[in-house]
Amino acid sequence: MQIRFLLLLFLCCLPPATGWAQSETDAPARSIDAEDMQAIRLDELARLLQKKTAQRTELENSLAGRSDPIPADKQKTLNNLNRDIGNLSDTFEMIALSNMDTSLLRGADVVTTDWRQDLLDILNPLIESLKSITKRPRQVAEARDTVFRSEARLQITRQAVSELEAIPAGTLDEEATLRVANLLSKWRDEQAQYEQQRLVAQAQLERLSEDQETFFEGIWPATRLFLLGRGLTLVIALATGFLTWALMRFLWWTYTTRFTTKDQRRNSTWFRLLEYSFYLVTILIIVMVTLVVLYVREDLLLLAIAFLLIVATALGLRQYLPRYVREARLLLNLGAVREDERIVYNGLPWQVMSLNLHTVLRNPALDGVIRLPLEVIGTLVSRPVKNNLWFPSNRGDYVILPDGTFGQIRVQTPDLVEISVKGGMTMTYSTQDFYGINLINLSRDKTFGVSVTFGFDYALQSISLTEVPETLRGDVQNALEEAGYGKHLEKLIVELASANASSLDFLIFATMSSDVASDYFKLNRLIQQTCVAAANANDWNIPFPQLTIHNASAEKSNTG
């Protein structure tokens, strides 16, 4: 009954039917007013009810007093008659009441429920609210479907009646004529019943169309009702939650500023535990206060939505609980990574500055920091800082690369390292690649060395361990002082390094202050020039590699 009523209710959105027997040409019937149409429908329904009731009475009388079981076809006919009488009675009542919705007057059946049904009862306000949003579109769709099915059935009954009426009665015997007449009566009754169903459905659509309100008559009252009802409840709940949060933050600020120190807030494990416990308690209090507001306001829909969100959150926490435990240990500075310790990320060393949802990492030798989410930090391991070697260079250092390139570090960030080389040019390296280079840093240890190997003729062999080293040391030291490098000279070594095939090689090694690292190649050239000048002043020969060429033809003539 409810389904049929909803279908008829939605059909009211379609153009109303204005005739009883005119389904295709209904223009003349539009002059009939609503009261006359109601009377015509009631009369027709009463006749159908009387006819169906008489048929049922006749069938029951024929079956009375039988000792044997009722035949299946007779029982089926009786069930169909009872069904049709019930439907026609309900339709008659709806037409008489001008299609009023009386479904609320029906009592609900008492059923035994379990916890699943209780859960559905809790969520029922939410379900009903969602159903009410789509009520009219669903009613219209169902009503149109009812009209479509009724018209299809009417088409079938009309065709059946036409087929039966086309049978010539004169060609049949008495028994066949009686059966055809019974069939014709049956199908005419079906046709009338489906016609009534179609008209009732169209009447329901007509009522829905008449009850539609304009935008300002329908939307604004509903909006006003929401603002004064559920909207006001939402505002109160949100305001109460915000005030609770503000009060808890004020209490926490008072405690931290008056009863703790900055060092405790940064390094104390118990303070971290207390801090995150406070956050958890704050969330629980806000949730409880919000639920109390919804309960006092007796808004079952919002209360159901709140419980649904709480259950969904609890299920999500159960799935991610192991991960949250690991992250909680990190936040409490009890995990594998701890603050102020050293970790290696993407091939570079970093110092953990602060552990939080986004952890800040910093390399003291690089300009800038990086922030990593807590789940990435959880995959790393830190160790205490044992030295200050964070990067092979600092900004402004002079370095020599493996290929002999000499330059000064201009910029080094977590991404790139820029080196200024001679000629005003710039070389750029990825920071990770630069970290793995075996470079020579002339500025890191406050000193650097300039090494020159210079060879003399073997004629100086007798004085190679005495006069030659002393003369070269004096000349090189004087030359460095005259060039303004005397105060930067830390140590000077001059001694015989090796006896090569054609020369005696001497090593001149000057240890200089890092302040003059930019003159590395200039110092090398100055030492070379000083050695040449000493050779010229003391008539020391500078040998060159000797090359012996063997002439095969000359050797043959000499041996011949």
Side-chain angles (χ1 to χ4, degrees), residues 365-401:
L366 303 179
D367 298 330
V369 298
I370 62 174
R371 294 177 178 87
L372 296 181
L374 199 59
E375 54 266 24
V376 176
I377 294 296
T379 62
L380 305 175
V381 177
S382 66
R383 64 175 178 83
V385 178
K386 296 298 184 180
N387 54 60
N388 295 324
L389 184 60
W390 294 97
F391 205 69
S393 62
N394 292 315
R395 186 156 54 93
D397 287 356
Y398 289 90
V399 296
I400 300 176
L401 302 181

Side-chain angles (χ1 to χ4, degrees), residues 448 450 476-491 510-513 515-527:
F448 68 95
V450 179
V476 169
Q477 186 169 358
N478 292 332
L480 291 175
E481 291 177 355
E482 291 176 0
Y485 297 108
K487 61 181 180 178
H488 300 291
L489 179 63
E490 301 289 338
K491 188 177 182 180
T511 301
M512 308 295 296
S513 171
D515 295 336
V516 292
S518 59
D519 296 335
Y520 175 79
F521 285 106
K522 182 179 180 180
L523 291 169
N524 191 296
R525 293 192 299 271
L526 178 60
I527 294 174

